[in-house]
Amino acid sequence: WRKNKAAIIWEGEPGEIRTLTYQQLLSEVSKCANTLKSLGVKKGDRVAIYMGMSPELAVALLACARLGAPHTVIFGGFAPQALIDRIDDAQCTCVITQDGSFRRGAEIKLKPVVDRALEQCPVVKNVLVYRRTGTPQEMMPGRDHWWHEQMAGASDECAPEPVDSEHPLFLLYTSG
């Protein structure tokens, strides 16, 4: 009975409003988890999430949880060195990001920051990029993958990966 109730009600810039029901959220999370699996992410792998506020941020972190892949959310305003420090420390093999985000009416370009950081992070094998602003991006063949293209072919069924009660869900770094 709850599947058609609102799970996420999101209001973003510039004036967007979206609602995802529990059923839609489960479908998107499962598709994202299957997309990450297709990129080689498995239980125990670490994933960095560098995104602005959007429903896809919630989808990404829930997909990681579904796979048993601990994630670390990195604030979308941080510079490349902050990404390098966190990605290296966590040994992330995948980064989920956006082309850009909006904050106070201005576009914050996220993918170029990831590109600069990954010049010094050889452990990252894949970058999943959600198209939010539509700003053209340089995509590195074999490493960078568009969210919408990968999700289009993914199954919307993905059983959660069983994990031990002590298995880490996420890594939370301080800004200091």
Side-chain angles (χ1 to χ4, degrees):
W1 63 270
R2 194 172 282 145
K3 69 181 182 181
N4 295 317
K5 295 206 176 275
I8 295 176
I9 301 171
W10 177 75
E11 293 185 35
E13 292 184 55
E16 301 158 293
I17 298 174
R18 288 176 48 205
T19 301
L20 289 176
T21 66
Y22 284 98
Q23 185 65 43
Q24 291 168 324
L25 180 60
L26 175 60
S27 175
E28 290 300 300
V29 167
S30 295
K31 287 165 68 172
C32 187
N34 284 324
T35 292
L36 292 172
K37 273 192 210 180
S38 76
L39 297 177
V41 176
K42 60 191 178 312
K43 181 165 81 173
D45 289 347
R46 271 104 174 157
V47 177
I49 301 174
Y50 183 68
M51 301 177 79
M53 294 301 288
S54 69
E56 288 70 24
L57 172 63
V59 167
L61 65 88
L62 290 170
C64 289
R66 198 159 195 83
L67 295 178
H71 65 275
T72 182
V73 175
I74 303 171
F75 171 59
F78 281 162
Q81 189 59 51
L83 273 75
I84 293 166
D85 294 344
R86 289 156 176 80
I87 289 169
D88 280 347
D89 184 71
Q91 291 296 289
C92 296
T93 60
C94 181
V95 175
I96 304 173
T97 191
Q98 296 170 261
D99 53 356
S101 183
F102 296 107
R103 184 162 173 92
R104 296 184 181 143
E107 181 182 354
I108 309 298
K109 294 177 179 9
L110 299 176
K111 172 72 167 53
V113 176
V114 170
D115 289 340
R116 285 194 301 276
L118 294 188
E119 291 171 6
Q120 298 181 46
C121 299
V123 73
V124 173
K125 304 296 181 223
N126 290 289
V127 178
L128 187 59
V129 184
Y130 173 66
R131 182 176 286 141
R132 169 90 173 91
T133 64
T135 300
Q137 298 300 313
E138 257 185 61
M139 300 291 278
M140 180 183 284
R143 184 196 75 183
D144 298 347
H145 312 274
W146 283 112
W147 173 290
H148 62 283
E149 291 173 0
Q150 298 295 312
M151 295 275 284
S155 170
D156 65 355
E157 292 185 19
C158 181
E161 183 69 32
V163 295
D164 188 62
S165 63
E166 297 293 318
H167 186 83
L169 174 63
F170 62 88
L171 298 129
L172 181 61
Y173 292 91
T174 66
S175 59

